[in-house]
Amino acid sequence: MIKTPDGVILDAIQVDRDSKILLYQQIFNGICDLILSGSLVSGTRLPSTRVLMQELKVSRNTVRQAFEQLISEGYLQGQDGSGTYVAPDIPDASFQLHRLSERTPVKNHSPVASLSSRGRKIAGDFISQGFSKGRAFAPSLPALDLFPVKNWTRILSRQWGRRDLLRQGYGELAGYRPLREAVAFYLQSTRGVVCEWEQVIIVSGAQQAFHLLINILLDPGDSVWVEEPGNLGLRSIILSAGAVPAPVPVDESGLNVKEGIALHANARVAIIAPSHQYPLGVTMPLSRRLEMLEWAYKTNGWVIEDDYDSEFRYSGKPVSALQSLDRHEKVIYVGTFTKVLSPALRIGYLVVPKGLIKPLTNAIGISTRGLPTHIQAALTDFILEGYLATHIRRMRKISMERQHALLDAVSQQCDGLLDVAPTNSGLHLVGWLPEGIDDVAAYRLAKSRGVETYPLSRYYENPLAQKKGLMMGFACAPPEEITRATGILASALREVSNIKIG
Ligand SMILES: Cc1ncc(COP(=O)(O)O)c(C=O)c1O
C-alpha cells in the first residue's frame, strides 16, 4: 500500500458501473476487504473524499456515503480537520468476520466435523430428502392442481384480518381450540376415532407428530418396530434420536406381529400404517389388528397409527382406525392434511391418550411453540363450512380417473416392462419390474427426463429383502400428462433393460 501526504493510495479498489451492487456499497466493500485482510492497518490515513472521487470517477456524495457507513460500523474514524483513519481497535485480521459472500470455512475444519454426534447423524445421508415435486408420478402427492384456491383464499383473507387472534399473542400450544374440536368431530364421524377434543393436538404435519412422539417415548438405544418396507421419513427421525429402527416384514396383512416378536422382542413402540401400508398398500385385517393391540397390552408398548391417506378409498366400506379398537389407551393416532389438501399447508394432528397431552404440549413448547393461529382458524372455517368434505369427494373421483389413465397408459405403452394392478385405496401403485431391470437405475434415468417415480428397493432396511419396483403416484398429474410421462418412462425402462442385457 503506497502512502502519500494525502493518504494511502487505494488502487486496489475499483468500481463496476454494470454491477447491481450500488457504487457506494462497492467502495464500502472494497475498503472493508482491505481492512479485514490486514492490508490497511489501524491508524492508516485514507485519501480525502475529493481525491477518492477523482480516482474512482464517482460523485463526492457516493464516497461520503461509503465513509459514513464505514465510520458508523467502526472500521474508520474521522478526525476533525485531519482526515479519516482506519480505526485503532480493529482486531487481528485472522479473527475477523468476512462478508457473507466471501466466508470460507477455516482450513481442515469442516463444520460437520464439529457437530455433536447427534448432529452428525442428522447431517448424514440416511435422512430422507425424496420430497416429491408435483409432477407425474410423484408418489405421495394428491391432485394439487385441484386445490380450491378461490375458497381457501377468501377464507384465509377473512382470518388474516382478525385482530382478536393477534391480541391473543402466542396461541395454544396444542392448537387452536375450534380446529381441535373440528378435527375431533371429523375423526369421530369418518374414522371411528374415539376421543374428546382435548386429545387432539395440532402439529406441523405427520412428520412433526412422529418427531415429537419418538422424542418423548424413546431413549437412545431403544428399539422401535417399523414396517419393512416402510416410510423412509420415519426411519430418519428414529435414527436421528439415537433410537434403533427394528424392521419387521410386511406380508399381505401388514406388519407381521409374530415375526416382530420373534425378531425384536424388546421393542417398546411400533409404528404402522394399518389402513394403507406405505409403500406396499396392504390393509391390515381385524385379526392382525387385534394381535397388534394384544402385543401392546402385554408388553406395555405403544402403537403409533399412521393414518395418512385413508380418505382415499374408492369402493367398499372404509376401514375404521385401529384407535377405535383400543381399550387400554395404547394407540396414538396420527393424521395429516397433506393428502386431502396439500403438503404445503404443513398441518397434521395427533389424537393421544389423555396422559400424553401434557408431555406433548410441553414438547411443542420447547420446539415450534405451535402453528400460525390465523391459518389454523382458516382451516377450521374451511372444514366447518363444508369445503373440506366437498374437496375430498372431488379428489376421490378425480384420483380414481387418474388411476385409470395410468393403468391404460401402462398397458398401451409399457409392453411387459412394468406390471401394475389397480388399487382400491391411496394415491399410488407399485409398478413391478421384470427380472433384470434395476429400479434405482430406472428411477435415475426417468428422473433425469423429468419423470418422478421412486425405487421400491430404497424403502427396505435389509438389502436381502429388497423387491424391485417403482412407486407411481397417479393423482398429482392430469391424464394427458400421465400418458406423456408414461411414454418417457417406457423408453427409460427399455434403455435400462438394454443396458442390462447388453
Ligand atoms: C406414509 C406417510 N405418512 C405420513 C405422511 C405425511 O407427512 P406430512 O403430514 O408430514 O406431510 C406421508 C407423506 O408423504 C407418508 O408418506
Side-chain angles (χ1 to χ4, degrees):
M1 196 74 38
I2 303 166
K3 288 188 180 165
T4 73
D6 198 21
V8 74
I9 294 177
L10 296 180
D11 49 4
I13 296 183
Q14 280 171 359
V15 290
D16 173 4
R17 268 154 231 289
D18 297 328
S19 164
K20 285 194 185 129
I21 303 173
L22 297 175
L23 289 176
Y24 97 88
Q25 184 75 47
Q26 293 185 40
I27 300 170
F28 171 92
N29 290 347
I31 296 177
C32 264
D33 283 351
L34 291 174
I35 295 174
L36 293 174
S37 62
S39 305
L40 273 180
V41 295
S42 292
T44 309
R45 182 172 179 217
L46 269 82
S48 66
T49 50
R50 185 182 45 79
V51 169
L52 204 51
M53 92 180 217
Q54 284 163 358
E55 273 177 18
L56 298 176
K57 301 196 174 41
V58 296
S59 78
R60 196 161 184 180
N61 249 349
T62 303
V63 180
R64 272 204 197 107
Q65 222 182 334
F67 273 30
E68 276 163 19
Q69 180 84 23
L70 287 157
I71 290 170
S72 75
E73 294 195 16
Y75 290 95
L76 300 182
Q77 256 183 6
Q79 285 176 9
D80 282 343
S82 72
T84 310
Y85 294 82
V86 177
D89 48 3
I90 305 275
D92 183 335
S94 60
F95 290 106
Q96 291 156 15
L97 273 185
H98 281 247
R99 285 200 324 278
L100 200 58
S101 58
E102 297 183 356
R103 283 182 194 165
T104 48
V106 178
K107 268 206 184 101
N108 303 328
H109 283 85
S110 112
V112 172
S114 53
L115 295 178
S116 66
S117 57
R118 199 166 164 208
R120 282 200 297 279
K121 274 196 188 131
I122 291 171
D125 286 340
F126 70 86
I127 296 289
S128 144
Q129 298 201 330
F131 306 121
S132 306
K133 290 282 179 274
R135 53 190 179 183
F137 305 100
S140 301
L141 292 181
L144 298 174
D145 52 324
L146 302 182
F147 185 89
V149 172
K150 259 199 192 151
N151 288 330
W152 175 251
T153 311
R154 189 170 43 74
I155 292 175
L156 195 57
S157 55
R158 179 164 85 207
Q159 294 297 339
W160 280 133
R162 283 185 58 187
R163 280 187 187 281
D164 61 320
L165 297 182
L166 285 172
R167 274 195 227 103
Q168 283 174 15
Y170 288 99
E172 282 293 318
L173 293 175
Y176 179 63
R177 175 170 168 173
L179 180 58
R180 293 167 75 194
E181 290 172 342
V183 170
F185 181 73
Y186 169 72
L187 295 176
Q188 288 153 1
S189 49
T190 62
R191 306 292 303 122
V193 168
V194 182
C195 68
E196 292 168 27
W197 71 265
E198 291 93 333
Q199 291 170 263
V200 175
I201 297 178
I202 308 297
V203 286
S204 177
Q207 187 74 359
Q208 194 199 4
F210 298 135
H211 190 254
L212 294 168
L213 288 170
I214 283 161
N215 278 284
I216 66 162
L217 298 177
L218 293 166
D219 284 317
D222 282 348
S223 292
V224 44
W225 283 1
V226 291
E227 295 166 320
E228 168 83 333
N231 177 353
L232 293 175
L234 247 180
R235 287 182 195 195
S236 305
I237 303 174
I238 297 168
L239 289 167
S240 74
V244 184
V248 181
V250 167
D251 59 25
E252 62 293 340
S253 300
L255 180 138
N256 187 320
V257 178
K258 287 194 182 69
E259 283 205 57
I261 295 168
L263 291 168
H264 315 285
N266 58 349
R268 306 191 49 231
V269 173
I271 309 180
I272 56 171
S275 295
H276 188 234
Q277 201 272 336
Y278 194 85
L280 295 180
V282 295
T283 300
M284 190 177 265
L286 181 64
S287 54
R288 184 65 67 79
R289 287 173 186 240
L290 295 175
E291 242 183 285
M292 192 75 239
L293 292 175
E294 191 66 22
W295 168 82
Y297 300 156
K298 276 197 178 141
T299 61
N300 199 22
W302 292 102
V303 180
I304 299 176
E305 174 177 19
D306 180 8
D307 203 31
Y308 65 104
D309 73 352
S310 55
E311 288 86 355
F312 294 92
R313 187 151 276 267
Y314 303 109
S315 63
K317 228 172 111 40
V319 218
S320 296
L322 174 69
Q323 196 266 9
S324 66
L325 298 171
D326 177 20
R327 282 169 296 113
H328 300 295
E329 300 204 308
K330 283 282 145 198
V331 176
I332 301 167
Y333 179 91
V334 175
T336 179
F337 288 100
T338 282
K339 312 293 175 175
V340 288
L341 284 170
S342 164
L345 286 183
R346 302 312 306 132
I347 303 186
Y349 42 86
L350 291 141
V351 180
V352 303
K354 287 193 176 147
L356 290 186
I357 298 174
K358 186 163 187 295
L360 277 162
T361 47
N362 282 1
I364 292 171
I366 52 180
S367 57
T368 54
R369 299 212 168 157
L371 297 184
T373 313
H374 293 80
I375 293 179
Q376 294 186 71
L379 182 55
T380 311
D381 281 3
F382 192 83
I383 297 171
L384 296 181
E385 291 171 24
Y387 294 110
L388 180 67
T390 309
H391 183 57
I392 291 175
R393 275 197 298 278
R394 180 161 183 241
M395 295 265 278
R396 239 184 241 136
K397 181 170 169 290
I398 301 283
S399 303
M400 191 60 187
E401 285 168 15
R402 292 181 177 184
Q403 183 188 162
H404 286 311
L406 173 61
L407 293 167
D408 289 348
V410 169
S411 80
Q412 283 159 21
Q413 301 185 65
C414 288
D415 197 20
L417 293 164
L418 201 61
D419 182 17
V420 287
T423 179
N424 187 25
S425 49
L427 299 169
H428 76 272
L429 297 168
V430 180
W432 297 100
L433 293 170
E435 277 288 304
I437 299 190
D438 178 47
D439 57 355
V440 176
Y443 146 77
R444 287 211 180 110
L445 191 57
K447 190 169 181 197
S448 72
R449 294 173 184 177
V451 173
E452 200 171 341
T453 61
Y454 207 71
L456 181 66
S457 58
R458 290 260 178 96
Y459 292 87
Y460 288 81
E461 183 105 332
N462 173 4
L464 297 176
Q466 282 175 358
K467 292 190 177 145
K468 308 276 180 189
L470 293 176
M471 296 287 288
M472 304 188 69
F474 48 75
C476 77
E480 53 288 0
E481 173 57 17
I482 289 176
T483 310
R484 191 189 70 83
T486 305
I488 297 173
L489 179 64
S491 75
L493 290 175
R494 247 172 252 122
E495 276 177 52
V496 174
S497 63
N498 284 342
I499 289 167
K500 197 77 201 168
I501 294 158

